Amino acid sequence: MRIGELASRAGVSVRSVRYYEEQGLLSSTRSPSGQRHYTDSAVERVAFIQRMYAAGLSSRTIIELLPCVDAPSAENSDSALERMAQERDRLTAHIAELVRTRDALDGLMATALAYREHLGKPCPVGR
Amino acid sequence: MRIGELASRAGVSVRSVRYYEEQGLLSSTRSPSGQRHYTDSAVERVAFIQRMYAAGLSSRTIIELLPCVDAPSAENSDSALERMAQERDRLTAHIAELVRTRDALDGLMATALAYREHLGKPCPVGR
DNA sequence: CTAAAACCTCACATTGACGTCAGAGGCAAG
DNA sequence: CTTGCCTCTGACGTCAATGTGAGGTTTTAG
């Protein structure tokens, strides 16, 4: 398929697909006239990239993981595994922080609600 | 206290503190010569701002919450409550997504580990 | 064959939360 | 008084992912 179809299937912009290639996250074959062509697996690949972006990984970091995704071998899985473990830990910490923040937000909401009900004390800064 | 002390106590840069003021997130009294002075509560305030930033809220959004944090009243808590509920939901969704991504990362790691152990099949793109 | 739609490269613009630098003034200690 | 650190304003730089537009080629549909 060509770039437009890939983009719409994966739900991203054409610009993004070109950017991923520019960053070395995605490869394509070129027609004689220079147009990019992709196989179906590229859709999954783009989805994977999106997921990693959503997790807060940068292009740089995703690149480090790709050798293992593409062609796992004893050599590349060593460093990639380390990297993945590292990112996994970061994610876990991040998730915990977000949960704490959500709790803080809940606390603020509770205070505001209480205030609305019986015009109580000032709402302390969230903790 | 002056800006440098606030910044180091709150663990942010001086630049950030000025930026928060510029965005209307933080206020200061000024000495005759124009230097900013803060009370101890500013430290908590900065911590709160940081927490909200970490939760992915923008300055714009944090501003909408502040009236309720500063001086809760029936009028402002209405809109702020709505906003908080909205952000709370967004946070919940985001957390769920991150958990799914972490699971995907775990899957990749398991595959890579299995590969290392008995040189198995190719590692499929993460799902 | 022709017009529309999709594609190409190149390159500048955008957004947000800052970093950083310049040039000037403020303030406590020796 | 002066040395040195802190602060001020203002403005430009950064980074990452993507938007956007120019100017030109290719593919597709009628």
Side-chain angles (χ1 to χ4, degrees):
Chain A
M1 82 191 77
R2 291 188 300 167
I3 198 171
E5 188 177 348
L6 171 60
S8 72
R9 274 208 210 171
V12 302
S13 68
V14 167
R15 176 66 173 93
S16 294
V17 174
R18 292 206 192 98
Y19 177 74
Y20 300 158
E21 177 169 329
E22 188 185 319
Q23 298 300 307
L25 302 176
L26 183 63
S27 60
S28 61
T29 59
R30 298 294 189 114
S31 74
S33 63
Q35 299 207 338
R36 294 168 176 85
H37 285 108
Y38 303 91
T39 61
D40 285 348
S41 66
V43 178
E44 300 167 36
R45 167 65 73 109
V46 171
F48 175 75
I49 294 171
Q50 286 279 300
R51 187 183 303 277
M52 292 303 114
Y53 275 144
L57 311 210
S58 66
S59 302
R60 205 58 89 206
T61 307
I62 299 175
I63 283 178
E64 296 185 52
L65 267 42
L66 284 179
C68 175
V69 173
D70 286 337
S73 73
E75 302 117 48
N76 63 33
S77 63
D78 246 9
S79 61
L81 263 174
E82 193 175 355
R83 197 71 209 216
M84 282 191 265
Q86 189 177 325
E87 292 301 328
R88 205 210 100 103
D89 290 348
R90 203 187 46 75
L91 253 184
T92 298
H94 190 196
I95 289 169
E97 191 188 346
L98 290 188
V99 168
R100 281 200 308 274
T101 302
R102 187 179 58 181
D103 290 347
L105 223 43
D106 283 344
L108 273 180
M109 290 173 68
T111 310
L113 276 173
Y115 185 87
R116 275 183 64 179
E117 273 167 26
H118 46 59
L119 304 166
K121 351 228 155 125
C123 160
V125 112
R127 187 210 147 212
Chain B
M1 80 191 79
R2 290 187 300 168
I3 198 172
E5 189 178 347
L6 171 59
S8 73
R9 274 208 211 171
V12 303
S13 69
V14 167
R15 176 68 174 93
S16 295
V17 174
R18 293 204 192 99
Y19 177 75
Y20 300 158
E21 179 168 328
E22 187 185 320
Q23 298 300 307
L25 302 177
L26 183 64
S27 60
S28 61
T29 58
R30 297 295 188 114
S31 74
S33 62
Q35 299 205 339
R36 294 169 177 86
H37 284 109
Y38 302 91
T39 61
D40 285 348
S41 67
V43 178
E44 300 168 36
R45 166 65 73 111
V46 171
F48 175 75
I49 294 172
Q50 286 278 301
R51 188 183 302 277
M52 292 303 114
Y53 275 143
L57 311 211
S58 66
S59 301
R60 206 56 91 204
T61 306
I62 300 176
I63 284 179
E64 296 185 52
L65 267 43
L66 285 180
C68 177
V69 173
D70 286 337
S73 73
E75 303 116 48
N76 64 34
S77 63
D78 246 9
S79 61
L81 262 174
E82 193 175 354
R83 197 69 209 218
M84 282 191 266
Q86 189 178 324
E87 290 303 327
R88 205 209 100 102
D89 290 348
R90 202 188 47 74
L91 253 184
T92 298
H94 189 196
I95 289 169
E97 192 188 345
L98 290 188
V99 168
R100 282 201 307 277
T101 303
R102 187 180 58 182
D103 290 347
L105 222 43
D106 284 344
L108 272 181
M109 289 173 66
T111 311
L113 275 173
Y115 185 88
R116 275 183 64 180
E117 272 168 25
H118 46 58
L119 303 167
K121 347 224 155 129
C123 161
V125 113
R127 125 141 250 261

